[in-house]
Amino acid sequence: MESERTNSSTPKGRGVNFSAPRSFFLKFSCKCKETFFPDDPFKPISQEPNGLMKTKKTLQYFVPIFEWLPKYNLQKLRYDVLAGITITSLAVPQGISYANLAGIPPIIGLYSSFVPPFVYAVLGSSHTLAVGTVAACSLLIAETFGEELLKTDPNLYLHLIFTSAFVTGVFQFALGFFRLGMLVDFLSHSTITGFMGGTAIIILLQQLKGVFGIVHFTHKTDVVSVLHSVFSHRDEWKWQSSLAGKKIKPQLFWVSAMGPMVVVLVGCLVAYLVKGTEHGIKTVGPLKKGLNPPSIQYLTFDAKYLPLVLKAGIVTGLIALAEGIAIGRSFAVMKNEQTDGNKEMIAFGLMNIIGSFTSCYLTTGPFSKTAVNYNAGTKTPMSNIVMGFCMMLVLLFLAPVFSYTPLVALAAIIMSAMLGLIDYEEMYHLFKVDKFDFVVCMSAFFGVSFISMDYGLIISVGFSVLRALLYVARPSTCKLGRIPNSVMFRDIEQYPGAEEMLGYVILQMGSPIFFANSTYVRERILRWIRDEPEGVEFLLLDLSGVSSVDMTGMETLLEVRRILVSKGIKMVIINPRFEVLEKMMLSHFVEKIGKEYVFLSIDDAVQACRFNLSTTAKPEP
């Protein structure tokens, strides 16, 4: 028999394994495990010998503080206390500044750096991430709800922001609980780079309102509208605000971490001594002492505003997740540590849910605060706990001091922070390495800058999805040749020295074959055959890179075989992967082409074609 002759020519132990296909339940469970638990987090727990240790490991997995706290010591505490105090000095001015961006009372910005850090310290997996509010999400929240609502009903505006924080928390928690972190992957590195850069531009321009003391300012955020508003209200420019900005801003460069706090304190002192409010210098206004009041009773799910709440909660939740997880991972790599994306989602989610109950708005892991935390030498999440206690002291005793903070000082702090978010070097790097990634980045950058934040994000994600679809619909295929004096076969375009074999076309498929790309795969294979200058006797298809195939894909391969058979060409399948081979057997694909036409390696197939298949009868279509 032909199959016996083929097997006899194949080296012992190297034949294709045509074992019985696995059951549906086994395949489904394996696929779910690989999809939702690629890191197999419960394996270390199952390997523990007794129930007590399993309980301990389970508790440490779900509540990370139980993993690092038993190993804690005074030496680590010294570093964490220093880091915690340092990031508090950044949290106070940033909290006030970003609350101003969101259009909410400054005290809410301070509240948002008190409760959430305690939650993250218990549940977060990063030892470096510092919790706080961020400029991009603050502005996006303000843009979503609109300045008109803020002016007509500021209390409702604030309650809707608390509600959007609750929605954000539920959304983030659900993503982590159901292991759906893959959704965040659609916000690619290029998208985030462009989005943060574009956001920095519009936030910088928004600060011109505070720098010049303009009263009537546009509600829009795009570059054209903002610049038009600035220059069309030149009669409102106040030299006192600009002068204060010149006096204060240079203080930012004393020390990177303490600079913002120095700016605020100097600004408060100047405004108090010269009675700035009487001379046109706008200040933050009254700040009351006291800890976060409960806000759960203010959560509003009125059907009239629910679409806005859902939009603000979900969009800012995705952005905050992508930014926080990316920043946490970046600093974890620098310390040779690992962070768990799904744990981070659960931590962020509960942080925002509890925050929405305690007068906080959206919080995540901002880059500037995390960088300061890292440089200050933090060892564990205890630095967040220290920051929380320090913020408690500020709220109880020092909050009224910051009521004299000039708005121009906050503008200077924000402008200084935003300059670091425009990553010119990374954009140039994208241009050099991958032009499509550069287009994705620039679409976010210019979309945010000249249209709006949400449209800029949608356009950029749209380009990213388009690219993914192109990869799927137009998979890569390459022609292989033998490397001289070896049994290795490589892409002849990448290795020009690889030798093509007369009478053979050896193709390597590099992606799943299914309904979306089957027509392209068929046309591409036939074109390879058509372009051969000499007669072709064998087509060898290397399927080692094909992770899956559907019925349309298998019918396409059978159709290609029928076309080739009519031309006297034999098609050979090489190294189909486990899942692919199972489907081929269940659909009787293997029976139709014959087991003798399926091989483990290209070299085995070439040898069999030379000595066995070339002498067999012409295969049936």
Side-chain angles (χ1 to χ4, degrees):
M1 294 176 64
E2 292 173 354
S3 59
E4 291 175 349
R5 291 199 300 271
T6 302
N7 290 335
S8 65
S9 68
T10 303
K12 187 176 180 180
R14 289 173 57 188
V16 175
N17 180 13
F18 291 103
S19 59
R22 297 167 296 172
S23 67
F24 169 78
F25 178 77
L26 181 59
K27 288 190 288 186
F28 181 75
S29 61
C30 289
K31 181 64 70 175
C32 287
K33 180 180 178 181
E34 289 303 313
T35 301
F36 300 108
F37 300 95
D39 54 344
D40 197 6
F42 301 116
K43 186 175 182 179
I45 298 174
S46 63
Q47 291 176 338
E48 290 298 332
N50 58 66
L52 183 62
M53 289 302 296
K54 286 184 178 180
T55 303
K56 179 182 176 182
K57 285 285 186 182
T58 302
L59 190 62
Q60 289 177 342
Y61 176 77
F62 287 106
V63 188
I65 192 172
F66 289 116
E67 183 176 0
W68 59 264
L69 191 59
K71 307 171 189 175
Y72 204 71
N73 54 48
L74 289 176
Q75 185 178 4
K76 291 180 180 178
L77 179 63
R78 182 180 62 182
Y79 285 103
D80 287 338
V81 168
L82 176 62
I85 294 173
T86 305
I87 57 177
T88 302
S89 70
L90 192 62
V92 172
Q94 282 192 348
I96 297 173
S97 302
Y98 297 160
N100 189 50
L101 266 183
I104 57 180
I107 195 69
I108 302 298
L110 299 182
Y111 289 160
S112 300
S113 290
F114 168 45
V115 174
F118 288 107
V119 180
Y120 184 82
V122 174
L123 299 171
S125 65
S126 172
H127 286 197
T128 309
L129 197 76
V131 171
T133 56
V134 288
C137 291
S138 300
L139 184 61
L140 185 54
I141 288 171
E143 185 183 271
T144 302
F145 291 113
E147 194 169 348
E148 184 176 345
L149 178 61
L150 173 61
K151 289 180 177 179
T152 56
D153 195 339
N155 287 330
L156 175 61
Y157 180 88
L158 180 60
H159 298 167
L160 291 177
I161 286 181
F162 289 152
T163 311
S164 71
F166 175 78
V167 171
T168 293
V170 172
F171 175 66
Q172 292 174 333
F173 179 85
L175 287 181
F177 184 81
F178 293 109
R179 312 285 293 188
L180 295 175
M182 67 186 83
L183 296 180
V184 180
D185 295 337
F186 282 99
L187 293 178
S188 66
H189 172 70
S190 305
T191 295
I192 294 173
T193 300
F195 178 80
M196 297 307 292
T199 301
I201 292 292
I202 62 176
I203 290 175
L204 281 168
L205 293 176
Q206 287 282 327
Q207 302 320 300
L208 296 178
K209 175 183 178 181
V211 170
F212 293 114
I214 300 173
V215 177
H216 301 93
F217 202 71
T218 180
H219 299 172
K220 299 179 181 178
T221 59
D222 63 280
V223 171
V224 175
S225 298
V226 172
L227 289 178
H228 179 267
S229 181
V230 170
F231 289 104
S232 63
H233 294 96
R234 290 192 298 273
D235 55 313
E236 297 183 13
W237 290 10
K238 295 180 176 62
W239 63 268
Q240 295 93 335
S241 292
S242 301
L243 181 61
K246 292 180 180 178
K247 295 289 185 183
I248 294 168
K249 193 174 180 180
Q251 310 303 326
L252 282 171
F253 303 101
W254 286 1
V255 185
S256 61
M258 301 297 292
M261 180 62 86
V262 172
V263 169
V264 167
L265 293 176
V266 171
C268 288
L269 184 62
V270 171
Y272 177 77
L273 292 177
V274 304
K275 297 182 179 179
T277 54
E278 298 178 6
H279 295 86
I281 299 177
K282 293 187 175 182
T283 60
V284 168
L287 292 175
K288 296 180 181 179
K289 293 181 183 179
L291 300 181
N292 305 32
S295 57
I296 187 171
Q297 70 274 22
Y298 298 133
L299 299 186
T300 303
F301 296 97
D302 188 334
K304 179 180 179 182
Y305 300 104
L306 192 58
L308 287 178
V309 168
L310 292 175
K311 177 184 175 182
I314 293 174
V315 174
T316 57
L318 269 177
I319 295 169
L321 270 185
E323 182 180 355
I325 292 174
I327 289 169
R329 284 176 177 169
S330 299
F331 283 96
V333 168
M334 295 165 67
K335 297 178 70 172
N336 197 27
E337 296 173 349
Q338 285 188 334
T339 60
D340 186 321
N342 289 292
K343 284 184 189 177
E344 292 293 276
M345 292 178 190
I346 291 175
F348 287 159
L350 288 175
M351 186 170 72
N352 282 303
I353 290 173
I354 296 173
S356 70
F357 297 162
T358 53
S359 300
C360 302
Y361 79 112
L362 184 143
T363 50
T364 183
F367 176 79
S368 56
K369 195 182 289 186
T370 302
V372 168
N373 198 31
Y374 173 81
N375 290 323
T378 183
K379 299 298 180 185
T380 68
M382 182 63 77
S383 59
N384 279 295
I385 295 177
V386 174
M387 177 179 68
F389 277 114
C390 290
M391 288 302 300
M392 180 180 70
L393 297 176
V394 169
L395 290 170
L396 287 174
F397 304 108
L398 300 177
V401 173
F402 298 102
S403 62
Y404 294 98
T405 307
L407 294 185
V408 67
L410 300 183
I413 292 169
I414 294 173
M415 293 175 80
S416 178
M418 291 304 101
L419 289 174
L421 293 182
I422 307 174
D423 198 343
Y424 304 103
E425 292 182 359
E426 181 61 25
M427 293 177 185
Y428 180 63
H429 179 69
L430 290 173
F431 176 76
K432 289 195 300 182
V433 175
D434 192 317
K435 299 298 188 292
F436 203 109
D437 264 342
F438 178 74
V439 170
V440 170
C441 177
M442 288 297 101
S443 65
F445 182 83
F446 288 112
V448 169
S449 300
F450 289 94
I451 306 176
S452 68
M453 296 177 72
D454 47 356
Y455 278 108
L457 191 63
I458 290 170
I459 292 169
S460 182
V461 171
F463 275 116
S464 297
V465 172
L466 175 62
R467 185 180 197 181
L469 291 175
L470 286 175
Y471 280 140
V472 168
R474 294 294 181 265
S476 61
T477 59
C478 62
K479 186 177 181 182
L480 305 182
R482 188 194 294 271
I483 301 296
N485 304 316
S486 75
V487 295
M488 293 189 297
F489 291 80
R490 295 293 182 267
D491 183 0
I492 59 174
E493 186 176 355
Q494 184 178 1
Y495 298 92
E499 299 172 345
E500 296 186 53
M501 301 179 64
L502 188 63
Y504 294 79
V505 173
I506 307 173
L507 302 180
Q508 186 176 65
M509 316 303 292
S511 75
I513 303 174
F514 65 121
F515 70 94
N517 61 24
S518 58
T519 301
Y520 173 80
V521 168
R522 181 192 64 210
E523 297 301 329
R524 193 67 188 90
I525 291 173
L526 295 178
R527 197 174 96 197
W528 281 113
I529 300 294
R530 206 166 48 242
D531 290 345
E532 281 296 303
E534 302 291 338
V536 178
E537 188 177 355
F538 294 100
L539 168 67
L540 278 60
L541 290 182
D542 180 5
L543 302 186
S544 56
V546 178
S547 58
S548 65
V549 62
D550 67 358
M551 284 303 299
T552 306
M554 284 185 284
E555 288 298 327
T556 297
L557 293 178
L558 284 172
E559 183 181 352
V560 169
R561 179 176 174 273
R562 286 193 293 269
I563 294 172
L564 295 181
V565 166
S566 67
K567 298 180 179 181
I569 301 172
K570 298 173 183 177
M571 187 176 81
V572 175
I573 301 297
I574 298 167
N575 192 28
R577 296 174 64 171
F578 194 14
E579 182 180 335
V580 174
L581 185 58
E582 281 183 326
K583 286 189 177 179
M584 287 181 167
M585 293 175 66
L586 288 171
S587 63
H588 306 293
F589 178 90
V590 172
E591 290 181 20
K592 293 175 183 176
I593 67 169
K595 288 185 178 181
E596 64 272 22
Y597 288 93
V598 184
F599 292 89
L600 186 62
S601 70
I602 298 176
D603 186 58
D604 290 347
V606 169
Q607 296 300 324
C609 289
R610 280 180 175 173
F611 301 110
N612 294 76
L613 297 182
S614 60
T615 62
T616 63
K618 182 177 178 180
E620 293 295 329

